[in-house]
Amino acid sequence: MQQNWKADFPVFAQFPDMVYLDSAATSQKPAAVIAAEAAYYREANANPLRGLYDLSVRATDAYENAREAVRGFIGAASAREIVFTRNATESLNLIAYSWGRSELHSGDEILVAISEHHSNMLPWQSLARETGAALHYLECDSSGVYTEEALRAALTPNTKIFAIAQISNVFGRISAIADFARICHENGTLIVCDGAQSVPHIPVNVQALDVDFLAFSGHKMFAPMGIGVLYGKEALLRKMPPFLYGGEMIEYVTREGAEYAELPHKFEAGTVNVGGAVGLHAAIDYVNAVGFAEIVRREDALTAFAVQEMRQIPHVTIIGGDDPAAHHGIVTFAVDGVHPHDIAAIFDSDSIAIRAGHHCAQPLHQHIGVSSTARMSLAFYNDEQDVEKFVDTLKTVRRRMGFER
Amino acid sequence: MQQNWKADFPVFAQFPDMVYLDSAATSQKPAAVIAAEAAYYREANANPLRGLYDLSVRATDAYENAREAVRGFIGAASAREIVFTRNATESLNLIAYSWGRSELHSGDEILVAISEHHSNMLPWQSLARETGAALHYLECDSSGVYTEEALRAALTPNTKIFAIAQISNVFGRISAIADFARICHENGTLIVCDGAQSVPHIPVNVQALDVDFLAFSGHKMFAPMGIGVLYGKEALLRKMPPFLYGGEMIEYVTREGAEYAELPHKFEAGTVNVGGAVGLHAAIDYVNAVGFAEIVRREDALTAFAVQEMRQIPHVTIIGGDDPAAHHGIVTFAVDGVHPHDIAAIFDSDSIAIRAGHHCAQPLHQHIGVSSTARMSLAFYNDEQDVEKFVDTLKTVRRRMGFER
Amino acid sequence: MSDNFYDEVLIDHNLHPQHLHDLPGATCSHAGMNPSCGDEITLHLEMRGGIIADGSFTGIGCAISQASADIMLDLIIGRTPEEARKLAALFRKMIGGEITPEELEILEEAGALQNIARMPARVKCATLGWRTLEHLLETAD
Amino acid sequence: MSDNFYDEVLIDHNLHPQHLHDLPGATCSHAGMNPSCGDEITLHLEMRGGIIADGSFTGIGCAISQASADIMLDLIIGRTPEEARKLAALFRKMIGGEITPEELEILEEAGALQNIARMPARVKCATLGWRTLEHLLETAD
Ligand SMILES: Cc1ncc(COP(=O)(O)O)c(C=O)c1O
Ligand SMILES: Cc1ncc(COP(=O)(O)O)c(C=O)c1O
């Protein structure tokens, strides 16, 4: 753990005593990303795509270069498969509105993993309500494992789409997406992968995974808020109707209707967020410079350290089991007799930022039989001291709530 | 024109010879806005709304303070009426999807002004197609004027909604929105005001106008890209179903369905764009510091100067007429024998940024019988030299295209 | 939030609540909930001769919501509905940060929750019991 | 973009196009358009004895699209469809910035459009005539 990556992130200089363990909610931003977005506004800001002057060409280049960077980052075949959205939530809604409302009918089935984040569940609930399709859930065991057998058993000839996260934001467990994609495709089922928690932390290659759609957010991967990505296979995106309607996404408009622009512009209505895309580009460059080897090594080591310490503390239960290798930077836990909100408040009083609640996964919490939990989540910029401080506070929680005095 | 407002905008230091006359497409950003967003990421960045720790409270405050600033800026009754979106286009689509899909039925009518930007036209076309409602257009005369009589004549007992821009992005003319709202309400018709071109340039008060919805974009009013606003009257928003589904917009989720959060969160699915909202807040503070008195005075004077000069140049036609008072910082024009794309290219060769094409208003161009036009558009940071340079180049266009040699 | 936010008062009311039990003689009950955190409290009151003769609560929740409900019952038992409503209004005023020192006195131990406004996410916890009370008094009228 | 982008070659072909007229003896015609700018060109060819014996275009558009179409017709009249196709491929290569100096020679006056790639919004204008040609030759086969 030699390297002090925190030095790249101005927020840690601003709050040197803060221990930030809520990166699964949103990541901090390196100076390089903050500077790149600012530089765009100083040196290249214009409305891109239709511009006929120098500055607009710069803006267009900045935007399309960012798209190409995203394409390379996730190994897509073509930049036409990369749609910029606001966040993973919008990406998933785009699929449900555009693909879903045009392809799904009563009698069809949607399969959703029960541990999904609300953003990969509510759009499907709403789609099912509107189209009359049936919504089914794939169940996991208490440590968050989905098996191939369970998936095979849940798929029917009517299952049109299966939605699952690559890494659960509660368990931190990686699902075998490539295997699931193969099984789905054998069944004629599309697979939507929620990469919100995986793309920032492990190398993701959409062609190797062979997923039909991948959604993720910039803000969880060191980029600014307000920019996200939808990857979709070109043949699918081409057939899908537009989602939002407006400027920039058309070829030709009359009083009666419109002819839509080519991919990916068909899905990017209105003035695009060039500043956000430039920030995401800088974040990708930054991640590549650090390297996933280093990122994975550090996050795995810190996770293992945390889990090993936590499982020795009496009255602490780790959700999803005690195996350090099953948690990828995300450790959700409970403390006997102490409500998670109180746990988070005690951590806060020690300047440690963790999260408490249902983590936007209420049906999962109902499934595992608790109404809320506490969660610490890591990024590579965390270090051993952060985990030590976390463990030290965790040891005091019950005492400070009046137990065992 | 004493004050040099350009000094506040770093892009003009970067390109001292550039004349930027495309502010209607997107505005440049003052240093204060760029710095405010960067400072947020250095000093307050976290996932807001659910946070139980100090940094998250800072982020929540930053976000909600921005909402309050927007509320004050447009004179809304309550911050619950302010929904943050990505841009005006998304705001308008939100109305068409949420209000439209739940309230409109076959037999109902939608009325749209023929000069509308595609973003305030295509969502209504799509809504009409899906619901079976009829789409009608309100016609303007050749200088872009909509009369009360024409509106009265176009409204029927079935007209459920009327969509119109306060300032047209082609003519630059202000429509009498308050009068139109009164006429609409007498008829039981809702009015949607597209404020994309007005909110940045004139004081807008939603209660005085009494519009039901107002949409605008941050990026045209000196804020970063990727943040926009939907204002809606509380009683309407309250009744409307959600648009995007996901995290942060729910109260409670089960396998079967969800109970949605209170306004405005019901309409803000997924992690919100705090950085963008902070940038918009800084832009509002900046505009208030400059003051609309100064902004309107400068923009009107520059517009008048430009129109007066332009109408003396042979072979130049101003779209929407020669009256300087009819153009609010937006002057769209044609040059006999020269295609607008070539006009823009010639201006670019003199480092002057203007726009050419249909300005996302093709049906209007069909209505006035041209396929494209050129447009110069101002902001208060422009000065007399900018207009002089523009006029100087305009005088040379025909000669440089081989005419009158 | 300073370490002693969870002070003796709160911790004691949370660990050893006086009023967390059923109330066989209850004349009215109402369940209030914070859907987003899953907390739920049912408030039971026994109205007799125009005063709140006895009261209790059941349900689960965080220390803030439990302690707040327990402290509230200490305050309102023996009072008239009118007096209870006034206390609820004072409590809201305190959370809103607009209370005077004299008014704070009246709230006795509930004053331990004064700083909850610093944690907007927890305000709903602190007010759960009080909101349930207001609802109960309104509908019981 | 430098001032002399609209050089004599382009301006001349735009103001005095040799091939902007109807073609009564045309054996095939095709309309191409740039929907987003409303420009439209119809290309007419007269094929005789395996060569493009004559050609013309009609329609409206910017100087770039008009001059490009006119220059194209100068180049392809008298050639075989195969040769015309090769020239179209070379033109695309030039726009893509991958042309060698020798190849550029072959394109003669069309070389005046070499720098259009700097203006992405205008590439569609420069290639409109050529795209229409390719379509025509494909469907005429
Ligand atoms: C009148 C008008 N409405 C709507 C829009 C759409 O704004 P945006 O592209 O920021 O969504 C624009 C700007 O392009 C406009 O000028
Ligand atoms: C697994 C997962 N999916 C989706 C989301 C939604 O991401 P966003 O809120 O950025 O749209 C999140 C994060 O909150 C997540 O953890």
Side-chain angles (χ1 to χ4, degrees):
Chain A
M1 295 269 155
Q2 318 77 349
Q3 183 107 25
N4 174 19
W5 293 108
K6 282 186 185 172
D8 291 348
F9 292 76
V11 77
F12 297 120
Q14 182 73 21
F15 302 106
D17 295 332
M18 174 182 69
V19 175
Y20 187 72
L21 292 172
D22 197 19
S23 290
T26 199
S27 68
Q28 295 303 333
K29 320 301 176 198
V33 165
I34 300 170
E37 191 181 354
Y40 163 74
Y41 287 121
R42 282 196 304 261
E43 296 163 14
N45 174 60
N47 201 314
L49 305 179
R50 302 259 172 202
L52 295 158
Y53 50 86
D54 186 62
L55 204 60
S56 175
V57 172
R58 282 174 205 254
T60 309
D61 287 350
Y63 190 63
E64 295 303 329
N65 289 345
R67 196 192 305 279
E68 174 57 27
V70 172
R71 187 207 60 73
F73 191 64
I74 61 168
S78 157
R80 285 185 296 278
E81 300 180 319
I82 307 298
V83 178
F84 283 120
T85 62
R86 178 181 32 221
N87 52 25
T89 301
E90 194 198 0
S91 302
L92 294 161
N93 276 273
L94 194 164
I95 308 169
Y97 268 104
S98 167
W99 177 88
R101 263 79 169 169
S102 58
E103 295 287 332
L104 274 204
H105 307 283
S106 162
D108 289 338
E109 291 173 20
I110 305 167
L111 185 64
V112 175
I114 190 64
S115 56
E116 289 314 289
H117 189 279
H118 295 158
S119 294
N120 197 23
M121 180 173 285
L122 295 178
W124 308 115
Q125 285 188 353
S126 149
L127 176 61
R129 255 193 320 273
E130 274 192 37
T131 60
L135 180 63
H136 295 296
Y137 291 103
L138 184 67
E139 317 276 332
C140 59
D141 70 14
S142 69
S143 53
V145 174
Y146 293 96
T147 63
E148 296 190 17
E149 295 68 53
L151 175 57
R152 279 213 177 80
L155 291 172
T156 80
N158 300 324
T159 312
K160 290 286 179 298
I161 198 158
F162 172 47
I164 185 168
Q166 187 168 18
I167 295 187
S168 148
N169 67 314
V170 175
F171 294 116
R173 188 177 281 275
I174 301 190
S175 282
I177 298 297
D179 296 330
F180 293 175
R182 189 174 26 76
I183 294 168
C184 282
H185 292 150
E186 284 164 13
N187 193 59
T189 302
L190 297 183
I191 180 166
V192 176
C193 179
D194 176 351
Q197 296 297 347
S198 59
V199 174
H201 299 287
I202 59 173
V204 171
N205 184 298
V206 289
Q207 294 192 76
L209 295 177
D210 197 25
V211 290
D212 297 291
F213 296 104
L214 176 79
F216 59 99
S217 292
H219 72 91
K220 292 190 202 277
M221 54 180 286
F222 321 114
M225 292 164 145
I227 188 86
V229 173
L230 170 65
Y231 158 84
K233 285 186 183 164
E234 185 165 352
L236 285 168
L237 291 181
R238 199 184 290 282
K239 273 177 53 190
M240 283 157 54
F243 169 43
L244 301 181
Y245 297 85
E248 317 298 350
M249 51 73 76
I250 58 97
E251 275 291 301
Y252 196 72
V253 177
T254 65
R255 289 175 177 228
E256 287 74 37
E259 197 178 295
Y260 302 110
E262 289 172 6
L263 288 178
H265 307 293
K266 179 169 79 174
F267 292 111
E268 297 182 353
T271 302
V272 297
N273 182 358
V274 188
V278 165
L280 179 56
H281 189 168
I284 288 174
D285 288 348
Y286 179 77
V287 166
N288 286 335
V290 176
F292 271 118
E294 168 80 353
I295 289 174
V296 170
R297 190 183 63 72
R298 280 181 74 103
E299 292 181 359
D300 281 356
L302 291 170
T303 307
F305 177 39
V307 170
Q308 275 150 14
E309 294 288 316
M310 289 169 77
R311 64 189 179 190
Q312 290 168 34
I313 306 175
H315 300 289
V316 169
T317 311
I318 298 176
I319 310 297
D322 277 4
D323 177 9
H327 301 272
H328 291 87
I330 291 175
V331 190
T332 299
F333 62 96
V335 177
D336 294 347
V338 186
H339 191 285
H341 279 171
D342 298 317
I343 300 176
I346 287 173
F347 273 95
D348 181 47
S349 68
D350 290 354
S351 300
I352 302 171
I354 67 163
R355 205 163 146 101
H358 49 62
H359 318 296
C360 297
Q362 276 191 320
L364 172 65
H365 278 79
Q366 291 148 13
H367 181 61
I368 60 180
V370 290
S371 71
S372 67
T373 51
R375 180 184 76 186
M376 71 91 99
S377 58
L378 296 160
F380 74 96
Y381 46 59
N382 288 112
D383 56 27
E384 274 174 8
Q385 286 93 298
D386 290 344
V387 176
E388 276 163 15
K389 287 184 186 164
F390 167 80
V391 169
D392 286 349
T393 293
L394 183 55
K395 286 178 181 158
T396 69
V397 166
R398 274 181 52 95
R399 187 178 44 74
R400 284 153 82 180
M401 286 306 291
F403 293 96
E404 297 145 30
R405 286 201 178 167
Chain B
M1 294 268 156
Q2 317 76 349
Q3 182 108 23
N4 173 21
W5 292 108
K6 282 187 185 172
D8 290 349
F9 293 77
V11 77
F12 297 120
Q14 182 73 19
F15 302 107
D17 295 331
M18 176 182 69
V19 175
Y20 187 72
L21 293 171
D22 197 20
S23 290
T26 199
S27 68
Q28 295 303 333
K29 321 301 176 199
V33 165
I34 301 171
E37 191 180 354
Y40 164 74
Y41 286 121
R42 282 197 304 263
E43 296 164 14
N45 175 60
N47 201 316
L49 307 179
R50 300 260 173 200
L52 295 158
Y53 50 87
D54 186 61
L55 204 60
S56 176
V57 173
R58 281 173 205 253
T60 308
D61 287 349
Y63 190 64
E64 295 303 329
N65 289 344
R67 197 191 305 278
E68 174 57 25
V70 172
R71 187 207 62 72
F73 191 62
I74 60 167
S78 157
R80 285 185 297 277
E81 302 180 317
I82 307 297
V83 178
F84 283 120
T85 62
R86 181 183 26 226
N87 52 26
T89 301
E90 194 198 359
S91 302
L92 294 162
N93 276 273
L94 193 163
I95 309 169
Y97 268 104
S98 168
W99 177 87
R101 264 80 170 168
S102 58
E103 294 287 332
L104 275 204
H105 307 285
S106 163
D108 288 338
E109 291 172 19
I110 306 167
L111 184 66
V112 176
I114 190 63
S115 56
E116 288 315 288
H117 189 279
H118 294 160
S119 294
N120 198 22
M121 180 174 286
L122 294 178
W124 308 115
Q125 285 187 355
S126 149
L127 175 61
R129 255 193 321 275
E130 274 192 37
T131 58
L135 180 63
H136 294 297
Y137 290 104
L138 184 66
E139 317 276 332
C140 58
D141 70 15
S142 67
S143 52
V145 174
Y146 293 96
T147 63
E148 294 189 17
E149 294 70 50
L151 174 59
R152 280 214 177 79
L155 291 172
T156 79
N158 300 324
T159 311
K160 289 287 180 300
I161 197 158
F162 172 47
I164 185 167
Q166 186 168 19
I167 294 188
S168 149
N169 67 314
V170 176
F171 295 116
R173 188 178 281 276
I174 301 190
S175 281
I177 298 298
D179 295 330
F180 293 175
R182 189 176 24 78
I183 294 168
C184 282
H185 292 151
E186 282 164 15
N187 194 59
T189 302
L190 297 183
I191 180 166
V192 176
C193 178
D194 176 352
Q197 296 296 347
S198 58
V199 174
H201 298 287
I202 59 173
V204 171
N205 183 299
V206 290
Q207 294 192 77
L209 295 178
D210 197 25
V211 291
D212 297 291
F213 296 105
L214 175 79
F216 59 99
S217 291
H219 72 92
K220 293 187 201 277
M221 53 180 285
F222 323 113
M225 292 166 145
I227 188 85
V229 172
L230 172 64
Y231 158 83
K233 284 186 182 164
E234 185 164 352
L236 284 167
L237 291 181
R238 198 184 289 280
K239 273 178 54 191
M240 283 158 54
F243 169 43
L244 300 180
Y245 297 85
E248 316 298 350
M249 50 72 77
I250 57 98
E251 274 292 302
Y252 195 72
V253 177
T254 66
R255 291 178 175 226
E256 288 73 37
E259 196 179 296
Y260 303 110
E262 288 173 6
L263 287 180
H265 308 292
K266 180 169 79 173
F267 293 110
E268 296 183 354
T271 302
V272 297
N273 182 359
V274 188
V278 166
L280 179 57
H281 190 168
I284 288 173
D285 288 347
Y286 179 78
V287 166
N288 285 336
V290 175
F292 271 117
E294 167 79 351
I295 289 174
V296 170
R297 190 183 63 72
R298 281 182 73 103
E299 294 182 358
D300 282 355
L302 291 170
T303 307
F305 177 38
V307 170
Q308 275 150 14
E309 293 289 314
M310 289 169 77
R311 65 187 180 192
Q312 290 166 34
I313 306 175
H315 302 287
V316 169
T317 311
I318 298 177
I319 310 297
D322 277 3
D323 177 8
H327 301 273
H328 291 88
I330 291 176
V331 189
T332 299
F333 62 97
V335 178
D336 293 346
V338 186
H339 191 285
H341 281 172
D342 299 317
I343 300 176
I346 287 173
F347 273 95
D348 181 46
S349 68
D350 291 353
S351 299
I352 301 171
I354 66 162
R355 207 165 145 99
H358 48 62
H359 317 298
C360 296
Q362 277 192 320
L364 172 65
H365 279 79
Q366 291 147 16
H367 181 61
I368 59 178
V370 291
S371 73
S372 68
T373 50
R375 180 184 76 186
M376 71 90 98
S377 57
L378 295 159
F380 74 95
Y381 46 59
N382 288 113
D383 56 27
E384 275 173 8
Q385 284 93 298
D386 290 343
V387 176
E388 276 162 15
K389 286 185 188 166
F390 167 80
V391 169
D392 286 348
T393 292
L394 183 56
K395 287 177 179 158
T396 69
V397 166
R398 272 180 55 94
R399 186 176 47 71
R400 285 154 81 178
M401 287 306 290
F403 293 97
E404 298 146 29
R405 285 203 178 165
Chain C
M1 186 173 282
S2 78
D3 192 12
N4 55 13
F5 181 80
Y6 288 95
D7 64 7
E8 290 305 319
V9 175
L10 290 186
I11 284 179
D12 199 56
H13 277 281
N14 178 46
L15 279 189
H16 312 291
Q18 297 293 309
H19 305 288
L20 178 63
H21 52 72
D22 284 329
L23 195 69
T27 55
C28 56
S29 294
H30 182 69
M33 78 184 287
N34 277 340
S36 62
C37 51
D39 291 356
E40 196 180 319
I41 272 182
T42 303
L43 191 64
H44 313 275
L45 296 185
E46 184 183 336
M47 310 295 289
R48 222 182 323 118
I51 66 159
I52 301 167
D54 201 0
S56 80
F57 72 101
T58 50
I60 53 152
C62 64
I64 307 283
S65 66
Q66 298 272 306
S68 181
D70 204 51
I71 293 170
M72 175 186 81
L73 283 159
D74 274 355
L75 276 169
I76 64 166
I77 291 172
R79 310 273 187 130
T80 65
E82 195 42 43
E83 288 167 335
R85 247 192 294 261
K86 279 202 184 130
L87 286 166
L90 267 193
F91 188 82
R92 283 186 184 279
K93 221 174 154 186
M94 177 185 80
I95 300 291
E98 293 162 353
I99 201 164
T100 64
E102 297 75 45
E103 290 171 326
L104 194 58
E105 290 281 300
I106 304 171
L107 284 177
E108 297 176 16
E109 285 189 329
L113 289 155
Q114 187 178 9
N115 293 321
I116 201 74
R118 265 276 292 99
M119 290 279 119
R122 307 302 299 279
V123 167
K124 279 189 173 180
C125 310
T127 55
L128 177 58
W130 292 95
R131 279 183 283 132
T132 311
L133 172 68
E134 286 176 324
H135 190 94
L136 195 54
L137 294 176
E138 223 168 82
T139 49
D141 276 358
Chain D
M1 184 174 281
S2 78
D3 192 10
N4 55 13
F5 180 79
Y6 288 96
D7 66 5
E8 289 305 321
V9 175
L10 290 186
I11 283 179
D12 200 54
H13 278 280
N14 179 46
L15 278 189
H16 312 292
Q18 297 293 308
H19 305 289
L20 178 62
H21 52 72
D22 283 330
L23 196 68
T27 56
C28 57
S29 295
H30 182 69
M33 79 184 286
N34 277 341
S36 62
C37 49
D39 293 356
E40 196 179 320
I41 272 181
T42 305
L43 190 65
H44 312 277
L45 297 186
E46 185 183 336
M47 310 295 289
R48 224 183 317 119
I51 66 160
I52 301 167
D54 201 0
S56 79
F57 73 100
T58 50
I60 53 151
C62 65
I64 307 284
S65 67
Q66 298 273 305
S68 181
D70 203 51
I71 294 170
M72 176 186 80
L73 283 159
D74 274 355
L75 277 169
I76 62 166
I77 291 173
R79 310 273 187 129
T80 65
E82 195 42 41
E83 289 168 334
R85 247 190 293 258
K86 279 200 185 133
L87 286 166
L90 268 192
F91 188 83
R92 281 185 186 280
K93 224 175 150 183
M94 179 184 80
I95 300 292
E98 293 163 355
I99 202 164
T100 65
E102 298 75 45
E103 290 172 327
L104 195 57
E105 289 281 299
I106 303 170
L107 284 177
E108 297 177 14
E109 287 189 330
L113 289 156
Q114 189 179 7
N115 293 322
I116 200 75
R118 267 277 290 96
M119 288 280 118
R122 306 304 299 278
V123 166
K124 279 188 172 182
C125 310
T127 55
L128 177 58
W130 292 94
R131 279 184 281 132
T132 311
L133 172 69
E134 287 177 323
H135 190 93
L136 196 53
L137 295 175
E138 224 168 79
T139 50
D141 276 0

